[in-house]
Amino acid sequence: LSGRKVKLASGFVYYANISSMRHAVSLLRQFRAQPHDLLILNSFWNVRLSLIPAIAFRLLWGGKLKVALLPRGELQPESLRYSKWKKQAALPLLRRLYSHVLDYVAATSDLELESIPRVLSGVVTLRTVNVAEEIPFGVPSAPSETMRIVYLGRINDDKGLLEVLSGLLEVKQAVTLTIAGAVQDEKYYSDCEHVMGQMPHNVSVNYVGEVGRGDLPRLLHEQDVFLTLTSAENFGHAIAEALQAGCPVIAPDTTPWTRTIRNGGGAIILDRNNRAEVAATIDQWASLTPNELLSRRGMAR
């Protein structure tokens, strides 16, 4: 579909290769042919998908086109701690450039709404919502002798796969971890692979790559728990999807779902860097009986 404009429902989708100058020119031409009111951009740090388009559209339309940025949790304190020196070095320049091209910055949680003015002052902030895609409830087709854990999400230092693997090094119970998600940082994934090679005999790890939308319910139904050690989430679609599927969640207290997870049969990890706490939580979970796990599924749903 790369380089094509496709009619979907009441609108159009243009599939652009962001490395292609030809696609960029084609996209700008299509926008020039029809006036638009609002440009919505995702990500504060990925300048190719946010800052550069904002500047380009501003130069073409000036103040006629309003520009809104959705940082999606990137400006929350917990997220800013990762790659700290690199981010702190780039922040003054990015802050200055964004201040000239943004009309609005949109947040999807109260926590994120509070954090935005600390980075981007003087820009109008908006409170918007997330809607999780509906996932059917389900139970595994057959019981398992080992604890089945799924990690679902992008693979980078913000999402915490390395912390999950480090915790598994100290787990005493029999555990199987299924990792699903796109590798965004090859160096980071190489570090993860190094830890995978050190797993004790009672822990098995399987990376299945990216999972299509149609395969997601089956993946979640066949797991006993969804484990994420993300640094921060402004919403956490994967958490919402897991709960709908009847897959309880273990997560840190840096998401908007803490109370829901505690009431939904899951568990909260207070320090994702504490191997002992992560391992103890997993071992405790792996000690549950099949009936107890089934009850937790119902609570999650």
Side-chain angles (χ1 to χ4, degrees), residues 18 39 46 57 61 72 109 179 209 224 236 256 286:
I18 61 174
L39 175 67
N46 192 331
F57 282 97
W61 282 282
R72 299 207 173 276
S109 73
I179 301 169
D224 296 311

Side-chain angles (χ1 to χ4, degrees), residues 22-189:
R22 181 171 59 86
H23 286 191
V25 171
S26 173
L27 184 61
L28 288 170
R29 282 176 176 168
Q30 292 181 54
F31 270 83
R32 290 200 66 163
Q34 179 180 358
H36 288 75
D37 302 306
L38 178 66
L39 175 67
I40 301 175
L41 302 165
N42 289 284
S43 177
F44 178 87
W45 298 108
N46 192 331
V47 296
R48 288 199 297 175
L49 295 179
S50 52
L51 182 60
I52 292 175
I55 292 173
F57 282 97
R58 266 285 185 257
L59 291 173
L60 284 173
W61 282 282
K64 295 179 181 178
L65 179 75
K66 300 300 182 184
V67 180
L69 177 73
L70 278 72
R72 299 207 173 276
E74 292 175 329
L75 302 184
Q76 292 178 209
E78 294 84 359
S79 182
L80 289 172
R81 291 193 190 108
Y82 291 87
S83 303
K84 181 177 179 180
W85 302 115
K86 189 186 300 183
K87 289 179 178 178
Q88 290 301 320
L91 195 55
L93 177 59
L94 291 180
R95 181 187 285 127
R96 188 178 184 87
L97 291 172
Y98 274 120
S99 67
H100 291 293
V101 294
L102 294 182
D103 295 290
Y104 314 109
V105 182
T108 55
S109 73
D110 293 336
L111 182 63
E112 185 180 27
L113 197 66
E114 294 170 5
S115 66
I116 287 172
R118 299 178 195 137
V119 180
L120 291 171
S121 59
V123 179
V124 177
T125 54
L126 304 175
R127 179 72 156 82
T128 183
V129 297
N130 279 281
V131 179
E133 191 163 332
E134 185 175 352
I135 301 288
F137 177 76
V139 295
S141 55
S144 173
E145 295 181 1
T146 62
M147 175 70 187
R148 293 168 297 191
I149 301 173
V150 62
Y151 167 95
L152 176 64
R154 292 175 285 124
I155 297 176
N156 58 35
D157 59 355
D158 280 348
K159 296 299 181 183
L161 176 59
L162 197 55
E163 285 78 6
V164 170
L165 295 169
S166 297
L168 285 172
L169 291 174
E170 299 186 12
V171 165
K172 303 294 188 262
Q173 301 281 350
V175 169
T176 298
L177 173 68
T178 298
I179 301 169
V183 176
Q184 284 198 322
D185 185 330
E186 293 289 349
K187 170 63 170 63
Y188 180 80
Y189 184 62

